[in-house]
Amino acid sequence: MNGFMEFITDPQNLLSIGVGIAVFASVLTLLNAFMGGEKLSKRMQAVAVRREELKRRSRQAMNVSGGAPGASLRHSDEGFKKRVVERLNLTKLLEDPKVIENMAQAGWRGPKPVNTFYFFRFAMPFVCTAVAVFYLFVIDDFGLPPTLLLGVVVGAFAVGFYAPNVYLTNRIAQRRQSIVAAFPDALDLLLICVESGMSIEAAIQKVSQEVGSQSIELAEELSLLSAELSYLPERRMAYEGMAKRTNHPGIKSVATAMTQAETYGTPLGAALRIMAKENRDLRLSAAEKKAAALPAKLTVPMIVFFLPVLFVVILGPAIINIQDMMKGG
C-alpha cells in the first residue's frame, strides 16, 4: 500500500501517466478519423430504423384506441438514472428550461439523454469532491494550510457541478461547426438535385447520402429532415425543427426560405441558389475572422516558447566562447 501511495504522489509518475493518456487520446482521434464511414453507416441505419418504427407505431395508433399499449410514438427510459432522477425530483431541483433544446442541438433525442444529464449534474459534484478529499486528506496534503485545502475541495465541487454543462456546450459547438462547414456544399448539391427534377424529399435524402463523407452530423440532420417531412402534419414543422436543432442563422434563413417556397409556390431553385451563396459568404467571413484573430492569439505562445529558445540559440555560442576565454586567461 505504501508503494502504491508513493507511486501516486510522485510527480514524475503523474507526468508519465498524463503523457500516456495524451498519446492514447491522439491515437484514438486518428482511429476515429479513419472509421468515419462506419459511423456514418451506423447513424444512417439508426435513422432508417427510427423512421420505420415511427411509421409502424403511427399505423398502430390509427388502429388502436387512445391510451392503449403501443399507441405512443415517444421514446421510453426505464433505467437506473431515470429512477434516481424521479425519486430525488431532480427535474425541479436542477430545472433547466432549455435542456431539451440543448440536447437536440447536441444530437441527442428522447428522455434518456435528459435523465442522464440531470443524473450526472447531480452526481458529478459529489464525485469530484470525494476524489479531491481522498487525494488531499488521505494520500498527501502537500503541506497546504487547512483554508487552502478547503478552498480546493469547494473548487472541486464547483467544477463537478458545471462540468456537465461545459461538456454539453462543447458538444453543441463541435456539432454546429461540423454542420456549418459542410452546409453550403450540401445546398449546392440540393440545388442540382432539385433543378434536375427530383422532389424535395428525394433530393434531401440523396444529399444526406452524399454529404456524409464531409459531415456525419449534417447527413444525420438531413436524414431526420427527410423523415419528418414524410410523417409530420405540416412541412413547415420539419424545417423549423431542423433550424432549432442547428441554431445557426444561415440554416434558419434557409429553413424560412424553403417554408415560404412551399407556402407561396415560389421557385425553390432560385431560393436555394441565393441561400447557398449567402452561406458560403458566412463561411468565408468566419474564416477571415479566425485569421484576423490569429496574430493576437500567437503573441503569448511566441513570448513564452519561441523567444527563450531564440535567445539560447543566439546567445549560447557567445556565452560559451566567453567562458572559454575566461578559463584560458
Side-chain angles (χ1 to χ4, degrees):
M1 187 65 181
N2 293 331
F4 177 74
M5 294 296 181
E6 292 178 358
F7 177 82
I8 292 295
T9 56
D10 189 359
Q12 187 173 0
N13 293 333
L14 293 177
L15 180 61
S16 301
I17 293 173
V19 172
I21 294 174
V23 172
F24 175 76
S26 301
V27 174
L28 187 62
T29 303
L30 293 175
L31 291 178
N32 288 335
F34 287 110
M35 296 175 64
E38 184 178 356
K39 287 185 178 180
L40 173 62
S41 61
K42 289 182 179 180
R43 290 193 180 187
M44 294 298 103
Q45 183 179 3
V47 171
V49 170
R50 177 60 179 162
R51 179 166 50 190
E52 294 300 326
E53 181 183 358
L54 287 172
K55 290 181 180 179
R56 177 178 58 81
R57 291 185 179 182
S58 63
R59 288 193 295 266
Q60 291 179 356
M62 289 186 293
N63 296 327
V64 181
S65 61
S72 175
L73 298 179
R74 296 181 178 273
H75 287 284
S76 61
D77 181 22
E78 301 296 336
F80 167 74
K81 292 188 284 292
K82 179 187 177 182
R83 294 194 295 269
V84 173
V85 170
E86 289 181 347
R87 289 180 181 179
L88 298 178
N89 200 14
L90 297 180
T91 54
K92 291 186 178 180
L93 180 64
L94 304 173
E95 185 177 2
D96 187 354
K98 294 185 177 180
V99 63
I100 298 178
E101 182 179 348
N102 292 336
M103 288 292 171
Q105 293 176 12
W108 298 318
R109 289 165 289 276
K112 187 174 182 179
V114 177
N115 293 329
T116 302
F117 174 77
Y118 279 123
F119 175 81
F120 279 104
R121 193 174 180 186
F122 173 77
M124 284 301 294
F126 299 102
V127 172
C128 293
T129 302
V131 171
V133 169
F134 178 77
Y135 195 83
L136 293 176
F137 293 93
V138 177
I139 297 180
D140 190 2
D141 60 358
F142 298 99
L144 300 176
T147 54
L148 188 56
L149 292 175
L150 181 61
V152 172
V153 172
V154 174
F157 184 89
V159 168
F161 183 79
Y162 289 105
N165 286 331
V166 173
Y167 176 78
L168 181 61
T169 302
N170 291 335
R171 170 78 179 186
I172 293 173
Q174 292 176 0
R175 190 170 186 270
R176 185 185 297 121
Q177 184 179 2
S178 175
I179 291 174
V180 171
F183 192 66
D185 299 332
L187 284 180
D188 291 334
L189 292 175
L190 188 63
L191 174 62
I192 294 172
C193 293
V194 170
E195 290 187 341
S196 65
M198 297 177 65
S199 63
I200 186 62
E201 294 88 350
I204 292 174
Q205 187 63 30
K206 181 65 176 178
V207 173
S208 68
Q209 298 173 0
E210 297 295 333
V211 81
S213 59
Q214 188 174 357
S215 174
I216 298 177
E217 289 78 7
L218 180 57
E220 184 181 14
E221 281 296 328
L222 292 176
S223 296
L224 287 174
L225 176 61
S226 176
E228 289 178 348
L229 286 173
S230 64
Y231 71 81
L232 285 179
E234 295 183 12
R235 302 167 70 89
R236 173 183 57 82
M237 298 172 60
Y239 295 126
E240 291 179 353
M242 182 178 178
K244 290 181 180 179
R245 290 192 301 269
T246 54
N247 193 23
H248 185 265
I251 299 178
K252 287 182 178 179
S253 62
V254 171
T256 303
M258 296 180 74
T259 302
Q260 292 177 351
E262 293 278 351
T263 304
Y264 302 107
T266 56
L268 186 58
L272 288 175
R273 184 177 289 105
I274 296 173
M275 292 296 104
K277 183 178 182 304
E278 289 183 356
N279 279 270
R280 199 176 294 108
D281 293 339
L282 285 175
R283 184 173 62 179
L284 181 60
S285 63
E288 292 177 348
K289 183 179 179 181
K290 288 184 178 180
L294 191 60
K297 293 180 179 179
L298 285 177
T299 302
V300 175
M302 288 183 64
I303 294 174
V304 175
F305 298 105
F306 295 151
L307 290 182
V309 176
L310 186 62
F311 289 149
V312 170
V313 171
I314 294 176
L315 300 178
I319 294 175
I320 293 174
N321 291 332
I322 293 173
Q323 290 178 349
D324 292 339
M325 291 174 60
M326 292 178 65
K327 289 180 181 179

